[in-house]
Amino acid sequence: MSIKDIQLDPNRIPKHVAIIMDGNGRWAQKKGELRIFGHTNGVDSVREALTAAVEIGVQYLTLYAFSTENWNRPQQEIAALMDLLVQSIYNEIDELNNKGVKLETIGDVEILPKSCQNALVDAKKKTKDNQKITLILALSYSSRREISHAIQKMTKEVVDGNLKSEAINEDLISSYLSTANYPDPELLIRTSGENRVSNFLMWQLAYTELYFTKILWPDFKKKNFYKAIFDYQKRERRFGKTSQQILDNNV
Ligand code: IPE
Ligand code: IPE
Ligand code: MG
């Protein structure tokens, strides 16, 4: 299927797409290369997904780039990933500005190496006024950690007398998460054939459509992104209602 064959409905473009970019290591190993070769090639796929998202008017793209659990990988791979992050930010900054991309992050960015933090601070500053799309990199991110932090903050405010426990509801919890300024994703894509969430946006994904593909991340191109959107557009989002209710509301 080529991009031309994919007819997307411009009225049903998801506002927010999240991606678990998985399979870099296996992609490299299949080619007899080191795992980092897969990560390096994965950067091209990031560019493709971002370009595709901008082209169809997605407003938020969240990419799972490094999980809290990924700190348990071999030191050498972690160091190579961090170097790649710094290099990619410096290489892509002009392109991000050309495309109108605002860069933001979620996760414990303050525990990344200083060089990464500096590159991120710089890129965020240089792209802060861009309005076409917000690219959110999840770095040293874990959903359970994020929720634990939110509970800690709320508890402290209750103890200090600044928050009533009865005021804690779904909206308030959402507002204490690092994603407070973003709508929940309508679509989650995970590559590489793994059918799991791996501690990613667990609160935010409550009603997200899940799209799993066997394609390894470095092979994931613009047309694959469009295919995922096309698949999403065929789905009926019922939010607990019946199919008939959804049909009645749409006429
Ligand atoms: C995803 O690819 C990138 C990161 C988690 C940083 P992997 O490195 O997990 O690749 P596989 O799953 O081992 O093939
Ligand atoms: C999830 O991929 C994290 C990122 C893509 C950054 P992993 O490869 O780390 O996930 P698991 O360990 O297979 O669940
Ligand atoms: Mg993996």
Side-chain angles (χ1 to χ4, degrees):
M1 197 192 272
S2 79
I3 295 176
K4 278 189 253 99
D5 299 327
I6 303 175
Q7 290 291 327
L8 294 178
D9 176 353
N11 298 315
R12 289 196 61 197
I13 300 295
K15 272 200 180 67
H16 186 173
V17 176
I19 309 182
I20 302 177
M21 310 183 288
D22 200 9
N24 294 351
R26 277 164 283 169
W27 185 87
Q29 277 161 345
K30 267 175 48 182
K31 293 186 167 359
E33 301 279 352
L34 296 174
R35 293 176 56 83
I36 187 64
F37 184 66
H39 298 314
T40 310
N41 279 274
V43 178
D44 292 338
S45 300
V46 170
R47 205 177 301 115
E48 295 252 343
L50 181 60
T51 309
V54 169
E55 275 176 15
I56 60 170
V58 170
Q59 292 169 32
Y60 301 89
L61 180 67
T62 299
L63 301 179
Y64 207 2
F66 194 83
S67 72
T68 305
E69 292 76 14
N70 289 149
W71 289 114
N72 297 320
R73 291 198 176 190
Q75 259 323 297
Q76 223 186 351
E77 180 169 345
I78 296 174
L81 274 167
M82 296 300 152
D83 281 351
L84 184 62
L85 177 65
V86 175
Q87 274 316 314
S88 305
I89 291 173
Y90 286 125
N91 290 343
E92 303 293 327
I93 186 78
D94 290 343
E95 195 48 36
L96 293 181
N97 275 323
N98 290 340
K99 284 200 180 86
V101 181
K102 179 178 183 173
L103 182 76
E104 300 198 342
T105 53
I106 54 174
D108 297 322
V109 183
E110 61 288 347
I111 64 170
L112 297 177
K114 206 78 202 136
S115 58
C116 291
Q117 293 187 46
N118 293 342
L120 287 167
V121 168
D122 185 55
K124 284 183 195 175
K125 205 161 85 192
K126 285 185 176 145
T127 61
K128 71 174 178 20
D129 296 324
N130 293 336
Q131 288 182 357
K132 194 110 184 130
I133 190 169
T134 303
L135 172 66
I136 303 142
L137 292 183
L139 289 164
S140 190
Y141 175 85
S142 135
S143 191
R144 286 186 172 178
R145 243 179 110 78
E146 177 187 44
I147 293 169
S148 309
H149 281 157
I151 294 172
Q152 275 177 15
K153 272 193 273 173
M154 284 186 289
T155 309
K156 185 167 187 314
E157 291 190 22
V158 171
V159 170
D160 291 348
N162 298 324
L163 176 66
K164 288 204 164 66
S165 61
E166 311 85 84
I168 298 176
N169 58 23
E170 293 183 17
D171 287 342
L172 191 86
I173 295 172
S174 294
S175 77
Y176 276 73
L177 300 176
S178 58
T179 49
N181 296 328
Y182 318 128
D184 289 341
E186 292 97 324
L187 173 66
L188 171 79
I189 299 170
R190 180 167 190 156
T191 57
S192 89
E194 307 299 354
N195 299 337
R196 54 178 173 258
V197 173
S198 298
N199 215 350
F200 190 44
L201 302 176
M202 276 156 34
W203 173 271
Q204 299 85 339
L205 294 179
Y207 260 106
T208 301
E209 295 296 328
L210 308 179
Y211 179 87
F212 297 108
T213 168
K214 288 203 165 62
I215 297 171
L216 303 173
W217 179 248
D219 287 331
F220 193 86
K221 301 296 168 201
K222 264 166 83 170
K223 72 163 195 286
N224 307 107
F225 185 88
Y226 290 132
K227 247 176 103 170
I229 305 287
F230 184 71
D231 192 277
Y232 161 81
Q233 292 191 335
K234 285 188 304 193
R235 301 189 190 183
E236 184 181 62
R237 306 189 74 206
R238 289 195 282 274
F239 300 100
K241 295 183 180 172
T242 66
S243 193
Q244 193 58 50
Q245 286 175 296
I246 303 298
L247 286 170
D248 291 347
N249 277 342
N250 284 342
V251 287

